[in-house]
Amino acid sequence: MRSWIGVAAVPLCLAGFAHAQDRPPAGRPQPGPMAPASKDPSAAPAGTYHVDLEHASAVARVLHRGISYSVLRFGVRDGTLVWNPARPSAITLAVTVDAKPFYAPIVYKILPEGPQSLDVAKYPDAKFVSTAVRVKAGNRATIDGRLTLMGVTRPVVINAELVGVGRSMEGASTIGFTGTMLVDTSQFTQQPMARMVGTVTVVLDAEFLKQ
């Protein structure tokens, strides 16, 4: 009987430890209930926002020989959004993405990060810088910009949509977007792999926090 009591006490101890870990340190106010996100762009005040690295990523769908798609995920290194809902033409966006892809547990014969593909050792990141923002209906916008990939810069377009506006746990104004960008790999490299891959669909998701 005592052995069963001892075993039963283990999860209770772990639960108590987890609860203690979630409890804010003494003297720090506990965050209040999170307000529901808004779909109103003007709910996010104008100013400079920086990307929340914990809630940002780029996902590429790569066509394989016209038969199927492979999926690669990339982390965001840095990003700045200058937001002005009253004057959309003044909005600017600059984002740097780590070029090293994540695809575990899949094992590729030709590594996506290798010299025959993205050549990450030589080109460790990719960068998008906006040149114009054109607002459309339904909280959508077209973001014209220039993408630098593998040392080559070409014009690209992001079809973006506002996901929501709210506040972080610390109370900072937060705004989140999703977007899609088509990248013709043959415009950035002459590697045979680029001609085989062709146009890649890149889905971009990011939250930005007001500084």
Side-chain angles (χ1 to χ4, degrees), residues 33-54:
M34 298 289 288
S38 170
K39 291 288 187 179
D40 181 5
S42 64
T48 299
Y49 291 66
H50 290 289
V51 71
D52 181 354
L53 298 180
E54 188 178 2

Side-chain angles (χ1 to χ4, degrees), residues 110-149:
I110 300 177
L111 296 179
E113 68 270 27
Q116 297 181 49
S117 299
L118 290 171
D119 199 359
V120 171
K122 187 174 181 180
Y123 307 105
D125 53 40
K127 186 170 185 177
F128 173 86
V129 177
S130 68
T131 55
V133 174
R134 292 170 284 142
V135 174
K136 298 181 177 180
N139 286 342
R140 297 176 181 272
T142 299
I143 306 175
D144 300 318
R146 298 182 67 78
L147 174 67
T148 300
L149 176 66

Side-chain angles (χ1 to χ4, degrees), residues 108-200:
Y108 290 107
K109 294 178 181 177
I110 300 177
L111 296 179
E113 68 270 27
Q116 297 181 49
S117 299
L118 290 171
D119 199 359
V120 171
K122 187 174 181 180
Y123 307 105
D125 53 40
K127 186 170 185 177
F128 173 86
V129 177
S130 68
T131 55
V133 174
R134 292 170 284 142
V135 174
K136 298 181 177 180
N139 286 342
R140 297 176 181 272
T142 299
I143 306 175
D144 300 318
R146 298 182 67 78
L147 174 67
T148 300
L149 176 66
M150 300 181 71
V152 177
T153 302
R154 294 282 186 268
V156 294
V157 175
I158 296 177
N159 291 306
E161 179 183 357
L162 171 69
V163 176
V165 176
R167 288 190 175 275
S168 68
M169 293 291 289
E170 293 73 28
S173 296
T174 307
I175 185 167
F177 297 90
T178 187
T180 302
M181 175 174 60
L182 299 180
V183 178
D184 182 355
T185 57
S186 66
Q187 293 186 355
F188 295 89
T189 177
Q190 295 304 308
Q191 291 280 8
M193 186 64 66
R195 292 196 296 271
M196 181 185 299
V197 169
T199 299
V200 174

Side-chain angles (χ1 to χ4, degrees), residues 51-58 73-77 95 204-208:
V51 71
D52 181 354
L53 298 180
E54 188 178 2
H55 299 102
S57 70
R73 184 168 183 167
F74 302 82
V76 175
R77 284 187 176 173
V95 177
L204 309 160
D205 290 286
E207 287 185 21
F208 292 84

